[in-house]
Amino acid sequence: MSEIAPLAAQHLLLSLAALGLALLIGVPLGLAAARRPRLAAAAIGAASLIQTIPGLALLALFYPLLLAIGHGVPALGFLPALLALSLYALLPLLRGVIGGLRGVDPAARLAADALGMTRWQRLRLVEAPLAAPVAMAGLRTAAVWTIGAATLATTVGAPSLGGPIFAGLQTEDWTLVLAGCLAAAALALAADGLLALVERGLARRARRPLVAGLIGIAAGLALALAPLLAPLVAARGAGRTVTIGAKNFSEQFILARLIGDWLGRAGYRVRYAEGLGSAVALRALRRGDIDAYVDYSGTIWADAMGRHSVAPAAVMLPAIAGWLRPAGLAGPLGFENAYALAMREESARRLGIATLADLAPRAPGLRLGSDLEFLSRPEWRAVAGGYGLRFGATRRYAPSFMYRALASGQVDVISAFSSDGRIAAQHLRVLADPAHRLPRYDALLLVAPARARDRRFLSALRPLLGAIPVDAMRAANYQVDRDRDKQSPAAAARWLAGRLETR
């Protein structure tokens, strides 16, 4: 919860920057389009088309686009979020400016011309004041949309109030979800209220509401700039800022905090890029957009390297280390989190299913629930092809909800994780893989190219290597995932750190 305030400031900074860029594009374009019907139709049509793209997809699409540009252009974090949110804000801005100018009474223009005003004087003294209420309505809508959509920026590594919302959804910490939602809503309402004051001041030519609104906006801008100033102040000290990445499930959140805590003790200033997809996280590491994160050997082996064979750790790890260069493999953490198919113990016993081979003839009458990635991964294709698995239905869930779906009977089989504490807590049976279609999934600590040669950085992380037994990781995961006495990922990371220190 202590992170809400700094995240709110970063959320506000991103939203204001996106709104500012949208204004720089939208206002001149709207002024030009107001008197050119074809340009107006094209601009509104393009902005409307952008609005039809789901916000999450629009953010994600900027990642490969910026990646293709290269030349040091950051593909993750602030820039893709800024561009996507600016495009999203264009439609209400354009409609406001164009609609406001077209609604100006022609008699007012004729009067201005009769007084000998130039075109610029007519726009500034007559048209703009008369169009301002409609244009401000568009700006207010754009501001509320942008602040709301900025929560999605977390998925591309930009810190925002989406961080607690996504983390809370994955860990079923509804307090965290509510805190993120309320903070985002409060920012949107405050922005709308301040812009309403400005609108009222312009419409009534009243100085007091106009000044009050502008002062409020200036205060918000100062608050938003605080995250920019903090790193500058911190840079004067001994610490250096590092970014720790995490994918979108409890274990990743815990490990990110554990790594961050360890680096914090070594004097680094730590920030987090959480909720990343597997491919995005790995590319971000190799580009240096994040400094470290934990991935799994099977994921890199099958998904990134395209290997279809199953190999022992002694073969996989050197091959992965070589493939990662110039990024680095700091080392295994000491436990494995393998993909596995699991069923309720009672169902498995009743159907006589102990292995994936036993499951194959029963699969057409069963429903498979998976996480969001599993059914698109080569591991699933290897398992389905190797055992001839053809389920009657498949459904995708966020990992936390996947276990809920199995417990409630909405699905019969799930793609579980072997280090998940809920396997034992929910009395699930993990089905054996006698044909060894699934590779090993050793948890690996990966570091960015610049950090692979940073002795201080590697030395700070060395105590974590080979130090986390799977039972400790399961216990930490269960602290976050259980229903009662639920802990935050940060608290579970501190507990795990305590276990490591007492070994």
Side-chain angles (χ1 to χ4, degrees), residues 25-103:
I25 300 170
V27 171
L29 184 58
L31 291 174
R35 296 181 180 82
R36 298 174 178 84
R38 288 184 179 178
L39 178 59
I44 294 289
S48 300
L49 182 63
I50 291 168
Q51 283 288 330
T52 64
I53 303 173
L56 195 58
L58 187 62
L59 281 158
L61 286 173
F62 268 101
Y63 178 72
L65 183 64
L66 294 174
L67 204 62
I69 293 173
H71 301 291
V73 175
L76 280 180
F78 189 83
L79 183 60
L82 170 71
L83 296 175
L85 292 174
S86 299
L87 289 178
Y88 241 57
L90 271 182
L91 182 61
L93 288 176
L94 281 174
R95 282 184 170 163
V97 173
I98 294 172
L101 289 173
R102 285 181 174 176

Side-chain angles (χ1 to χ4, degrees), residues 28 44 56 83 95 109 122 143 158 176 231 261 289 325 348 394 402-403 442 447:
I44 294 289
L56 195 58
L83 296 175
R95 282 184 170 163
R109 290 196 178 96
R122 189 180 72 186
L176 207 54
D261 289 348
D289 293 332
R325 290 190 185 104
T394 58
M402 181 177 68
Y403 286 89
D442 294 292
V447 297

Side-chain angles (χ1 to χ4, degrees), residues 153-416:
T154 295
T155 58
V156 292
S160 77
L161 289 168
I165 294 174
F166 281 101
L169 286 173
Q170 295 302 327
T171 60
E172 298 187 66
D173 185 342
W174 308 120
T175 304
L176 207 54
V177 174
L178 196 59
C181 290
L182 289 177
L187 287 181
L189 289 174
D192 187 57
L194 292 172
L195 289 172
L197 283 175
V198 175
E199 178 184 349
R200 191 184 310 165
L202 290 173
R204 300 179 182 176
R205 297 181 185 275
R207 189 182 183 89
R208 184 173 295 179
L210 178 62
V211 171
L214 292 176
I215 289 175
I217 292 171
L221 185 61
L223 174 65
L225 288 174
L228 286 182
L229 299 177
L232 295 178
V233 173
R236 295 175 184 170
R240 288 175 287 177
T241 301
V242 295
T243 303
I244 307 303
K247 297 197 259 187
N248 59 352
F249 52 93
S250 302
E251 182 171 290
Q252 286 278 313
F253 297 140
I254 295 169
L255 291 173
R257 299 292 160 166
L258 179 68
I259 295 167
D261 289 348
W262 229 265
L263 289 171
R265 297 177 191 180
Y268 288 91
R269 177 182 170 81
V270 181
R271 59 189 179 193
Y272 299 93
E274 298 173 316
L276 305 176
S278 292
V280 170
L282 186 56
R283 286 179 185 170
L285 179 95
R286 301 184 79 182
R287 284 174 51 88
D289 293 332
I290 58 177
D291 292 281
Y293 85 106
V294 175
D295 212 326
Y296 305 92
S297 56
T299 300
I300 300 172
W301 183 262
D303 285 15
M305 299 172 65
R307 301 290 184 88
H308 302 295
S309 60
V310 175
V315 174
M316 290 178 72
L317 297 188
I320 288 172
W323 181 84
L324 281 172
R325 290 190 185 104
L329 168 58
L333 292 177
F335 70 95
E336 188 183 2
N337 183 4
Y339 263 123
L341 295 190
M343 301 179 67
R344 293 189 301 276
E345 177 63 32
E346 174 272 331
S347 300
R349 191 184 312 117
R350 175 169 48 82
L351 296 173
I353 299 174
T355 69
L356 295 178
D358 299 334
L359 177 64
R362 298 279 190 176
L366 301 176
R367 297 157 295 178
L368 171 67
S370 80
D371 65 30
L372 299 174
E373 295 183 11
F374 183 64
L375 295 178
S376 303
R377 294 170 67 121
E379 297 100 310
W380 164 241
R381 292 193 290 274
V383 169
Y387 290 99
L389 292 176
R390 301 289 184 273
F391 283 94
T394 58
R395 296 172 185 171
R396 299 177 190 240
Y397 298 89
S400 294
F401 296 122
M402 181 177 68
Y403 286 89
R404 297 279 184 191
L406 182 64
S408 65
Q410 292 184 30
V411 296
D412 307 293
V413 184
I414 61 169
S415 57

